[in-house]
Amino acid sequence: MDRHPEQCEPRVPVVVHARDPISREGALSALDRDSRIEVRERKSPGGVILLVDHVLSQGTLTQMRRAVGGDGAKAVLVLDTLQDEEFQEIVSYGVSAVVWRHEATRNRLIQAVLAAARGDGDLPADLLGRLIRQMGTGSSPATAPPGFPTYGLTPREVEVMRLVAEGFGTARIAAELCYSERTIKDVMYKLTTRLNLRNRAHAVAYALREGYI
């Protein structure tokens, strides 16, 4: 019998931390029923940690730093609100996805977790819009904040980053630009490595900050 492609892929290990037990149980219930996800008690190298809070508290921030430090883990934040300076901070630490609590349905959480595991990232449209308004499009590299490099992007990288900022995944970007998915992944890998960026969200923030998109 042929197996479905999804069944051949390893499950994504996910650890859930929440401020209150009701939120934690809700997140666990949503994730535990998906065959692509394996809920664990402790984080795994390359896995995902889902952090649920109302605001970016110091405790959540500390857990986030530990999650993304050293072993390739990805972090997904579920919050009620996020200040502009807080967004800059979490992007610089490598957070891959943010979900607003009022949008945190089962499908939305699973989407964010799987996107983070792939390295695609998943940010609300209004959060990207707020970042654009905050940063503007004409800032010079000399005014870049800590955590942002001061090197340029190639024309192809700019094309890719514009679509990343629109929330497109690798397959959609490849289709839009008539490239292979392997090429898009290679572009993103070289860009993030050369500029010392943590993930796609960090790359989008950098491209916005430098006026490329």
Side-chain angles (χ1 to χ4, degrees), residues 47-64:
V48 175
I49 179 169
L50 181 71
L51 300 162
V52 186
D53 206 338
H54 293 287
V55 297
L56 190 64
S57 65
Q58 188 58 49
T60 297
L61 189 60
T62 298
Q63 287 180 324
M64 182 203 73

Side-chain angles (χ1 to χ4, degrees), residues 22-74:
I22 293 178
S23 295
R24 185 173 189 276
E25 289 302 317
L28 287 173
S29 176
L31 299 177
D32 201 31
R33 291 180 291 166
D34 193 282
S35 62
R36 295 164 293 182
I37 292 173
E38 180 183 356
V39 176
R40 297 184 179 179
E41 290 298 318
R42 295 184 178 181
K43 72 169 184 171
S44 305
V48 175
I49 179 169
L50 181 71
L51 300 162
V52 186
D53 206 338
H54 293 287
V55 297
L56 190 64
S57 65
Q58 188 58 49
T60 297
L61 189 60
T62 298
Q63 287 180 324
M64 182 203 73
R65 289 170 176 165
R66 290 173 179 169
V68 300
D71 60 7
K74 308 294 193 305

Side-chain angles (χ1 to χ4, degrees), residues 2 39 46 59 81 88 102 112 146 150 153 178 184 208:
D2 292 336
V39 176
T81 185
Q88 289 293 325
H102 69 274
T150 56
L153 300 183
C178 298
I184 300 303
L208 289 167

Side-chain angles (χ1 to χ4, degrees), residues 111-177:
Q111 172 188 313
V113 166
L114 295 179
R118 293 191 304 267
D120 284 347
D122 191 336
L123 297 173
D126 61 317
L127 193 55
L128 281 175
R130 181 160 26 119
L131 183 63
I132 293 171
R133 292 192 299 272
Q134 174 191 350
M135 290 184 168
T137 58
S139 300
S140 65
T143 61
F148 287 83
T150 56
Y151 308 96
L153 300 183
T154 67
R156 183 160 66 172
E157 288 171 343
V158 172
E159 285 184 319
V160 172
M161 289 311 306
R162 283 174 178 163
L163 295 179
V164 172
E166 292 293 327
F168 293 176
T170 301
R172 179 72 181 279
I173 295 172
E176 290 285 332
L177 299 179

Side-chain angles (χ1 to χ4, degrees), residues 6 13 20 60 76 121 126 158 188 202 209:
E6 289 182 355
D20 60 271
T60 297
V76 177
D126 61 317
V158 172
M188 288 303 306
H202 199 190
R209 183 67 179 81

Side-chain angles (χ1 to χ4, degrees), residues 26-27 30 52 78-79 99-110:
V52 186
V78 182
L79 302 167
V99 177
W100 299 134
R101 283 178 68 107
H102 69 274
E103 297 177 349
T105 62
R106 175 177 179 269
N107 287 340
R108 185 71 185 84
L109 288 178
I110 291 171

